Amino acid sequence: MERCSGVLMPIFSLPSKYGIGDFGKESYEFVDNLSKSSQKIWQILPLVQTGYGNSPYSSICSYSFNPYFISPELLKEQGLITEQELQFSISNKKYIDYAELYAVRYPLLKKAFERFDKKDLEFQNYLESKQSYDYALYMSIKEASGQKHFYEWEDNFKNRDKNALLSFEKAYKEQVLFWQFVQFIARKQWFDLKKYANEKGVLIMGDMPLYVALDSVDVWTNKHLYKLDDNFMPIKKAGVPPDYFCEEGQLWGNPVYDYEVHEKDNFSWWINRIKSSLEVFDYVRIDHFRGFDRYYQVDSDRTDAKVGEWIKVPSEQFFNELHKHIDKDKIIAEDLGIIDDGVRDLLKFTGYPGMKILSFAFNGDKGNLYLPEKYEENCICYTGTHDNDTLLGLINKMNDWDYNNLVQGVKNSLELFELEAFVDDTKGLLSAIIELGVKSKANLFIIPMQDILALDSDYRINEPGTVKDQNWSIKFNKEQVSTLCFLQLKELCDKYSR
């Protein structure tokens, strides 16, 4: 990756009159602003359809597109919805209201489906490809069952009896076709946007979650790849052990992979998943990369993650096989959390760049590896990630001890970089931290939109381990993401050759 910079902005946070950011005109305008500001990377979060809690890291299908990202305005341009229907979809609440979206958006998509030409050649080719066939069956059976989890379905559906599925598809043909239409439209709108971004010199970095949800198309269609019993219930669950931040650990509850099974067929499921991700994105950031070295599993009957075990993954075999099929220079590793020599060795083995977080750097420890003067070129520097508080939010919550460490640490780094900056107020401190990141050796510098705008905790994307209405719900308005807000970042990128 060439020396450059970019911005972290989830699709759902883009300005929109329709309750949530989408693949419509505001996303194109955002690309224009990135291009004018010398930004080469747009990092987004997973584009998948979300489930309970609205987290893009817990999807009902790892290869799906979120139906909420379909632009109502683009549907109107196609003649699939009316102006009146478009106006009915307007919602200008401060945060995304997912309950309202569910009530309004799906009826709108069904109206669009009714008017869509089902004989459209491109759509017919898509149907023949079967890309979203299992997804459409899953969504249709779930709807017909009263939204039951798939492992609560009748045995013939749960166990994918071929005749039962064919009979269901025949009886619910229009419903199955609707869900294929949803994925067809979402996919088409996304690739049109990606093509536009690439033509403007902006590349897309997307996230690939390590785990899948238990109630998902992935588990329903590939039960043998996970540690499950005959009723699809997890024998072991994923999580992380207790640490400084959480004394009971984190019990995520996702089913864990049975890597003995994966290894027997040369990791074909993983390879296909990553190859598909690299078709959707220009770069893929693998979330929870440490899980490819060792993963933490907990017995299914536990309610916390205090007691568990680390299981070694055949990682060298996996990555040797993977690299036969992909361009490994397009992969980035999220190497945060509990990192040991095994993870560090795996990172060296793969050659992937890892992540350095400036908001972790200035704690008074001169040996802190997140300090900007310690970066090598093959890494990505962030001010913070989607799981961290904003820089301003972090500073506002600091006690005197932590704040003094922060100020002194920033001063020390400025001195080492031979920079002069005023850090005696919050505005100056924020600007200095950003400048240190831009000047650092890291090949790529990424800044969340919140930190460009110096916004507080009201704009935090997610607080891990919590179920809060604000999680995954922040939105920006059009004025906030205008070209003007990128001026300082553009000046810094020009100054330090990004």
Side-chain angles (χ1 to χ4, degrees), residues 284-488:
V284 171
R285 192 197 79 134
I286 298 177
D287 192 59
H288 197 61
F289 179 76
R290 75 135 303 111
F292 279 117
D293 172 54
R294 288 181 302 149
Y295 64 89
Y296 190 72
Q297 67 177 25
V298 177
D299 288 343
S300 60
D301 59 351
R302 288 199 63 86
T303 57
D304 58 48
K306 286 182 177 180
V307 179
E309 59 182 331
W310 288 101
I311 305 296
K312 187 74 179 78
V313 175
S315 49
E316 290 192 11
Q317 297 92 315
F318 167 61
F319 285 107
N320 279 331
E321 187 63 33
L322 174 66
H323 293 164
K324 295 175 185 177
H325 301 272
I326 66 161
D327 179 357
K328 70 175 188 175
D329 292 337
K330 302 297 185 183
I331 302 293
I332 289 136
E334 185 269 291
D335 57 337
L336 306 175
I338 302 172
I339 302 302
D340 54 24
D341 288 342
V343 184
R344 285 186 278 270
D345 289 344
L346 182 58
L347 203 60
K348 290 178 183 177
F349 178 80
T350 61
Y352 300 159
M355 294 171 56
K356 303 296 182 183
I357 312 299
L358 286 168
S359 59
F360 298 170
F362 308 105
N363 63 352
D365 178 7
K366 292 186 177 180
N368 189 325
L369 296 177
Y370 292 111
L371 287 166
E373 60 267 22
K374 297 186 179 294
Y375 301 168
E376 298 298 330
E377 291 180 356
N378 190 36
C379 73
I380 301 175
C381 170
Y382 288 79
T383 55
T385 76
H386 64 272
D387 280 336
N388 304 136
D389 204 344
T390 67
L391 273 181
L392 179 59
L394 187 71
I395 290 171
N396 285 343
K397 292 172 185 167
M398 283 182 171
N399 58 37
D400 290 344
W401 174 268
D402 290 333
Y403 183 78
N404 290 334
N405 276 333
L406 173 67
V407 172
Q408 189 56 53
V410 171
K411 286 181 177 178
N412 291 342
S413 293
L414 289 169
E415 185 176 347
L416 288 168
F417 277 104
E418 299 181 341
L419 295 174
E420 292 184 5
F422 180 80
V423 296
D424 291 337
D425 65 19
T426 302
K427 182 179 179 181
L429 194 57
L430 292 173
S431 295
I433 293 171
I434 293 169
E435 184 165 3
L436 287 168
V438 177
K439 185 171 183 182
S440 74
K441 285 185 180 179
N443 277 342
L444 176 58
F445 172 74
I446 295 283
I447 181 169
M449 196 70 219
Q450 295 87 332
D451 290 341
I452 293 176
L453 298 170
L455 297 171
D456 62 17
S457 301
D458 282 351
Y459 282 84
R460 180 172 183 165
I461 296 175
N462 176 53
E463 188 173 342
T466 68
V467 179
K468 302 170 75 172
D469 289 342
Q470 186 178 324
N471 287 347
W472 319 112
S473 297
I474 64 159
K475 293 192 300 178
F476 295 95
N477 61 51
K478 203 160 187 175
E479 290 71 29
Q480 287 174 313
V481 295
S482 67
T483 309
L484 289 174
C485 75
F486 292 101
L487 285 180
Q488 181 192 8

